[in-house]
Amino acid sequence: MMQTTLSYKQKQLPRLSMQTWLPLLQCSLNDLEKHLQVITNENPCLEVKSGFEESNANSGGTAAYGAFQNYVSNASSEQIEWLSISSTSLYEKLDEQIVAPLFPTPISQKIARQIIYYINDEGYFEGSVEEVARQCDTDPHTVERVRQRFAHLEPSGVGAADYKESFLFQLSDHDLDDELSILLGAMILQFDKMEKFINHPRLHDAKHVLQHLKNPPALEYMEPEAQITPDLFVEFSGSELNIRINHAFYPDLQVNMIDKYDNFAKQKFKEARELVKLLDLRKATLYNVALVLIEKQYSFFMGGELKPLRLQDVADELGFNESTISRAIADKYIQTERGLYAFKDFFSNSIGEVSTSEIKHFLKRLVGSENKDDPFSDKTLHEMIEERFGVKMVRRVIAKYRQELDIPSYKERLFLYKLELL
């Protein structure tokens, strides 16, 4: 068990300091520098240096920076690859295709460009043909005819109203015979009942085409998710768990006295020194929250399951209000040897004495080991979970947990298993 002599309790802050402290605590590590820069712009005694730049300048970075790089080894290269593929935005790509012969008249081009206005980042049309018709002084039937021509634009599937229509648009890119085209159209339109096609003689060919359809259609034009920077690292050192703050990515605050005889300068100097202390207090608070999490969820860090834990439990340990703990864990992450976790992931509700996290993990294991010729129904899963944990649950909770875990329904899994066997 990890040993520590740190005291959890924090001293109360003056009221004025709290106004600066709480936003500073709530800010994510990725946004911290931007937040501090706003404060610095109003204080001539303060200068902010990027923590990322500082870590690079010091002989290739600190140990924390190096460790973090190991965890995200290829994230930067993936982003560079995406940028090279998508130097043109989705809307620029669409706009340059609004030309003859597909859109031969000024009115068809006007309608097409108005349709583009309602296409979201994923490539789906989320407007209404009636609204576009009103804006272009035409009728909905004409607008719909123009929208259907988007089936011939790149990226394939763009301009569709939903994923089914997008798949149908994308079929135009494939050289299909009549039988296969009819089969794929039926499978797409009845996607939730695909098991009825299992015995079709062309299912293997249809499966090959389906595997090459994109969802969402504008996938290669979508911005990659922002890289998550962990606030803390929790690692084993022998048999002990150690916590390291990710100092390498913290901005460096430099305080300078500009005029020691000027009252305004004295006040700003005082505020600047206070901000440095509050930044250190932010680190200490997150460290102490992590200490409590490790104590309360020690079995998880040793490879077990999460236990029920409330925000109030941690607040009581640290002498804070629950709202302060809620701010402290917002958009904060811990890199563990089991992976990257949000602070909030360590807080779990319970059914009886069992955490919902443990029930979900058991549900995932059950589905992962089920007979692919006869998958478990929600009724069977419900009975097995109640028996395993000795709890009473309503069956619809199982469907809710499945959806949260991205586990398809019984019929959908049966169909997917059949596809795997082809």
Side-chain angles (χ1 to χ4, degrees):
M1 181 69 178
M2 182 187 62
Q3 301 295 320
T4 179
T5 57
L6 282 176
S7 172
Y8 290 152
K9 306 296 182 182
Q10 299 284 356
K11 295 180 180 179
Q12 293 296 317
L13 292 171
R15 188 172 181 179
L16 288 176
S17 295
M18 288 295 286
Q19 295 175 0
T20 305
W21 159 240
L22 291 178
L24 192 68
L25 178 64
Q26 187 166 357
C27 200
S28 71
L29 188 54
N30 284 342
D31 294 334
L32 184 59
E33 182 179 338
K34 189 187 303 179
H35 177 73
L36 290 173
Q37 192 64 58
V38 173
I39 299 175
T40 302
N41 290 340
E42 299 175 358
N43 191 329
C45 296
L46 267 173
E47 182 182 350
V48 177
K49 293 185 178 180
S50 169
F52 179 79
E53 291 174 1
E54 287 292 309
S55 67
N56 273 331
N58 295 325
S59 302
T62 62
Y65 175 76
F68 179 60
Q69 288 296 84
N70 289 334
Y71 285 120
V72 288
S73 58
N74 63 349
S76 297
S77 61
E78 288 175 355
Q79 187 166 5
I80 291 170
E81 181 180 355
W82 174 84
L83 288 172
S84 65
I85 293 173
S86 188
S87 56
T88 302
S89 76
L90 170 65
Y91 304 101
E92 290 171 334
K93 179 67 174 178
L94 292 175
D95 188 68
E96 68 186 21
Q97 297 176 79
I98 308 304
V99 294
L102 204 54
F103 306 98
T105 64
I107 184 60
S108 67
Q109 293 180 9
K110 179 181 179 180
I111 293 171
R113 289 194 168 90
Q114 195 62 29
I115 289 172
I116 291 175
Y117 179 80
Y118 290 102
I119 291 177
N120 64 25
D121 291 343
E122 293 185 336
Y124 292 114
F125 175 68
E126 56 182 10
S128 71
V129 292
E130 291 78 13
E131 180 66 14
V132 174
R134 186 188 64 79
Q135 293 168 343
C136 296
D137 195 24
T138 186
D139 60 274
H141 178 68
T142 300
V143 172
E144 182 59 18
R145 282 194 294 112
V146 172
R147 190 181 71 84
Q148 289 297 319
R149 298 177 203 170
F150 277 63
H152 305 286
L153 300 185
E154 291 293 334
S156 184
V158 73
D162 55 32
Y163 77 92
K164 290 184 179 181
E165 187 178 44
S166 176
F167 286 168
L168 293 175
F169 279 10
Q170 292 177 54
L171 291 183
S172 63
D173 285 350
H174 297 267
D175 185 16
L176 308 174
D177 58 64
D178 290 344
E179 182 184 36
L180 185 55
S181 179
I182 293 171
L183 172 61
L184 281 163
M187 290 176 71
I188 290 168
L189 291 174
Q190 301 178 66
F191 212 76
D192 52 344
K193 298 178 181 178
M194 290 182 74
E195 66 275 3
K196 67 192 295 185
F197 302 101
I198 286 178
N199 296 320
H200 196 285
R202 299 295 302 278
L203 182 61
H204 182 77
D205 296 332
K207 173 189 172 185
H208 178 74
V209 175
L210 287 172
Q211 289 174 335
H212 289 83
L213 301 183
K214 294 177 296 182
N215 183 32
L219 185 63
E220 69 265 35
Y221 288 88
M222 293 173 64
E223 292 187 14
E225 292 185 7
Q227 183 174 293
I228 295 174
T229 306
D231 297 79
L232 299 166
F233 299 94
V234 176
E235 305 160 324
F236 276 100
S237 178
S239 60
E240 292 187 354
L241 281 171
N242 289 331
I243 302 174
R244 283 195 296 112
I245 297 172
N246 192 359
H247 294 290
F249 280 80
Y250 265 84
D252 181 50
L253 289 179
Q254 186 172 324
V255 179
N256 303 300
M257 172 59 87
I258 55 175
D259 187 347
K260 64 181 179 179
Y261 300 108
D262 181 80
N263 287 334
F264 172 80
K266 288 180 180 179
Q267 178 61 30
K268 290 300 179 182
F269 182 73
K270 180 181 177 182
E271 291 176 5
R273 293 183 63 183
E274 183 180 78
L275 185 63
V276 173
K277 293 178 181 178
L278 291 178
L279 188 60
D280 288 338
L281 181 58
R282 180 190 193 276
K283 295 180 182 179
T285 301
L286 293 178
Y287 187 92
N288 283 342
V289 170
L291 282 177
V292 176
L293 291 179
I294 290 177
E295 285 195 0
K296 300 292 187 182
Q297 302 288 11
Y298 188 70
S299 61
F300 171 82
F301 290 95
M302 298 301 293
E305 301 292 340
L306 289 170
K307 296 179 179 179
L309 182 64
R310 303 172 304 151
L311 286 174
Q312 190 61 54
D313 298 330
V314 176
D316 291 342
E317 288 277 355
L318 298 177
F320 282 124
N321 293 327
E322 183 178 339
S323 61
T324 303
I325 298 302
S326 179
R327 288 174 183 264
I329 69 170
D331 298 318
K332 311 298 191 307
Y333 295 85
I334 300 178
Q335 182 70 61
T336 76
E337 297 192 359
R338 295 184 64 175
L340 183 68
Y341 292 88
F343 271 72
K344 66 179 182 179
D345 292 340
F346 295 95
F347 295 87
S348 178
N349 296 322
S350 64
I351 297 175
E353 298 297 318
V354 185
S355 72
T356 54
S357 173
E358 189 169 358
I359 292 174
K360 287 180 182 179
H361 193 258
F362 182 66
L363 172 61
K364 193 172 183 179
R365 289 209 315 269
L366 285 176
V367 173
S369 60
E370 68 186 351
N371 183 347
K372 294 187 177 183
D373 291 325
D374 186 21
F376 295 129
S377 66
D378 281 359
K379 180 178 182 295
T380 303
L381 291 169
H382 176 242
E383 293 170 350
M384 295 172 76
I385 288 173
E386 283 195 335
E387 181 181 357
R388 167 66 177 80
F389 296 105
V391 296
K392 288 295 180 184
M393 303 167 56
V394 291
R395 193 188 303 174
R396 66 175 177 269
V397 172
I398 301 301
K400 175 188 173 185
Y401 288 172
R402 271 199 305 97
Q403 292 168 0
E404 291 174 354
L405 293 168
D406 291 326
I407 295 175
S409 68
Y410 156 78
K411 288 186 176 181
E412 291 170 330
R413 297 201 308 278
L414 179 61
F415 175 72
L416 292 172
Y417 292 151
K418 294 294 185 184
L419 282 183
E420 289 176 4
L421 296 175
L422 294 177

